[in-house]
CSV table of all heavy atoms in Angstrom, one decimal:
chain,number,residue,atom,x,y,z
A,438,ILE,N,-63.8,55.0,-13.4
A,438,ILE,CA,-62.5,55.0,-12.8
A,438,ILE,C,-61.5,55.9,-13.6
A,438,ILE,O,-60.8,56.8,-13.0
A,438,ILE,CB,-62.0,53.6,-12.7
A,438,ILE,CG1,-62.8,52.8,-11.7
A,438,ILE,CG2,-60.5,53.6,-12.3
A,438,ILE,CD1,-62.5,51.3,-11.7
A,439,TRP,N,-61.5,55.8,-14.9
A,439,TRP,CA,-60.7,56.6,-15.7
A,439,TRP,C,-61.1,58.1,-15.6
A,439,TRP,O,-60.2,59.0,-15.7
A,439,TRP,CB,-60.6,56.1,-17.1
A,439,TRP,CG,-59.6,55.1,-17.3
A,439,TRP,CD1,-59.7,53.8,-17.0
A,439,TRP,CD2,-58.2,55.3,-17.8
A,439,TRP,NE1,-58.5,53.1,-17.3
A,439,TRP,CE2,-57.6,54.0,-17.8
A,439,TRP,CE3,-57.6,56.4,-18.3
A,439,TRP,CZ2,-56.3,53.9,-18.2
A,439,TRP,CZ3,-56.2,56.2,-18.8
A,439,TRP,CH2,-55.6,55.0,-18.7
A,440,THR,N,-62.3,58.4,-15.6
A,440,THR,CA,-62.8,59.8,-15.4
A,440,THR,C,-62.3,60.4,-14.1
A,440,THR,O,-61.8,61.6,-14.1
A,440,THR,CB,-64.3,59.9,-15.5
A,440,THR,OG1,-64.8,59.3,-16.8
A,440,THR,CG2,-64.8,61.3,-15.4
A,441,GLY,N,-62.3,59.6,-13.1
A,441,GLY,CA,-61.7,60.1,-11.8
A,441,GLY,C,-60.3,60.5,-11.9
A,441,GLY,O,-59.8,61.4,-11.3
A,442,LEU,N,-59.5,59.6,-12.6
A,442,LEU,CA,-58.1,59.9,-12.8
A,442,LEU,C,-57.9,61.3,-13.5
A,442,LEU,O,-57.0,62.0,-13.1
A,442,LEU,CB,-57.5,58.8,-13.7
A,442,LEU,CG,-57.5,57.4,-13.1
A,442,LEU,CD1,-56.8,56.4,-14.1
A,442,LEU,CD2,-56.9,57.3,-11.7
A,443,ALA,N,-58.7,61.5,-14.5
A,443,ALA,CA,-58.6,62.8,-15.3
A,443,ALA,C,-58.9,64.0,-14.4
A,443,ALA,O,-58.3,65.0,-14.4
A,443,ALA,CB,-59.6,62.8,-16.4
A,444,VAL,N,-59.9,63.9,-13.5
A,444,VAL,CA,-60.3,65.0,-12.6
A,444,VAL,C,-59.1,65.2,-11.6
A,444,VAL,O,-58.8,66.4,-11.4
A,444,VAL,CB,-61.5,64.6,-11.8
A,444,VAL,CG1,-61.8,65.6,-10.7
A,444,VAL,CG2,-62.8,64.5,-12.8
A,445,GLY,N,-58.5,64.2,-11.1
A,445,GLY,CA,-57.4,64.5,-10.2
A,445,GLY,C,-56.2,65.1,-10.9
A,445,GLY,O,-55.6,66.1,-10.3
A,446,LEU,N,-55.9,64.7,-12.1
A,446,LEU,CA,-54.8,65.3,-12.8
A,446,LEU,C,-55.1,66.8,-13.1
A,446,LEU,O,-54.2,67.7,-13.0
A,446,LEU,CB,-54.6,64.6,-14.1
A,446,LEU,CG,-53.9,63.3,-14.1
A,446,LEU,CD1,-54.0,62.5,-15.4
A,446,LEU,CD2,-52.4,63.4,-13.6
A,447,ALA,N,-56.3,67.1,-13.4
A,447,ALA,CA,-56.7,68.5,-13.8
A,447,ALA,C,-56.5,69.4,-12.6
A,447,ALA,O,-56.0,70.5,-12.7
A,447,ALA,CB,-58.1,68.6,-14.3
A,448,CYS,N,-56.9,68.9,-11.4
A,448,CYS,CA,-56.8,69.7,-10.2
A,448,CYS,C,-55.3,70.0,-9.9
A,448,CYS,O,-54.9,71.2,-9.6
A,448,CYS,CB,-57.4,68.9,-9.0
A,448,CYS,SG,-57.2,69.7,-7.4
A,449,VAL,N,-54.4,69.1,-9.9
A,449,VAL,CA,-53.0,69.3,-9.7
A,449,VAL,C,-52.4,70.2,-10.7
A,449,VAL,O,-51.6,71.1,-10.3
A,449,VAL,CB,-52.3,67.9,-9.7
A,449,VAL,CG1,-50.8,68.1,-9.6
A,449,VAL,CG2,-52.8,67.0,-8.5
A,450,ALA,N,-52.7,70.1,-12.0
A,450,ALA,CA,-52.2,70.9,-13.0
A,450,ALA,C,-52.5,72.4,-12.7
A,450,ALA,O,-51.6,73.3,-12.8
A,450,ALA,CB,-52.8,70.5,-14.4
A,451,VAL,N,-53.7,72.7,-12.4
A,451,VAL,CA,-54.1,74.1,-12.2
A,451,VAL,C,-53.4,74.7,-11.0
A,451,VAL,O,-52.8,75.8,-11.1
A,451,VAL,CB,-55.7,74.2,-11.9
A,451,VAL,CG1,-56.0,75.6,-11.4
A,451,VAL,CG2,-56.4,73.9,-13.2
A,452,LEU,N,-53.2,74.0,-9.9
A,452,LEU,CA,-52.5,74.5,-8.7
A,452,LEU,C,-51.0,74.7,-9.0
A,452,LEU,O,-50.4,75.6,-8.5
A,452,LEU,CB,-52.8,73.6,-7.5
A,452,LEU,CG,-54.3,73.5,-7.1
A,452,LEU,CD1,-54.4,72.5,-5.9
A,452,LEU,CD2,-54.7,74.9,-6.6
A,453,LEU,N,-50.4,73.7,-9.6
A,453,LEU,CA,-49.0,73.8,-9.8
A,453,LEU,C,-48.6,74.9,-10.8
A,453,LEU,O,-47.6,75.6,-10.6
A,453,LEU,CB,-48.4,72.5,-10.3
A,453,LEU,CG,-48.4,71.3,-9.3
A,453,LEU,CD1,-47.7,70.1,-9.8
A,453,LEU,CD2,-47.7,71.8,-8.0
A,454,VAL,N,-49.3,75.0,-11.9
A,454,VAL,CA,-49.1,76.1,-12.9
A,454,VAL,C,-49.2,77.5,-12.2
A,454,VAL,O,-48.4,78.4,-12.3
A,454,VAL,CB,-50.0,76.0,-14.1
A,454,VAL,CG1,-49.9,77.3,-15.0
A,454,VAL,CG2,-49.7,74.7,-14.9
A,455,GLY,N,-50.2,77.6,-11.3
A,455,GLY,CA,-50.5,78.8,-10.6
A,455,GLY,C,-49.3,79.1,-9.7
A,455,GLY,O,-48.9,80.3,-9.5
A,456,ARG,N,-48.8,78.1,-9.1
A,456,ARG,CA,-47.6,78.3,-8.1
A,456,ARG,C,-46.4,78.8,-8.8
A,456,ARG,O,-45.7,79.7,-8.3
A,456,ARG,CB,-47.4,77.1,-7.3
A,456,ARG,CG,-46.3,77.2,-6.3
A,456,ARG,CD,-46.2,76.0,-5.3
A,456,ARG,NE,-45.1,76.2,-4.4
A,456,ARG,CZ,-45.2,76.9,-3.3
A,456,ARG,NH1,-46.3,77.5,-3.0
A,456,ARG,NH2,-44.1,76.9,-2.4
Side-chain angles (χ1 to χ4, degrees):
I438 293 172
W439 272 80
T440 302
L442 302 181
V444 171
L446 286 169
C448 176
V449 174
V451 171
L452 294 175
L453 291 185
V454 172
R456 183 168 178 81

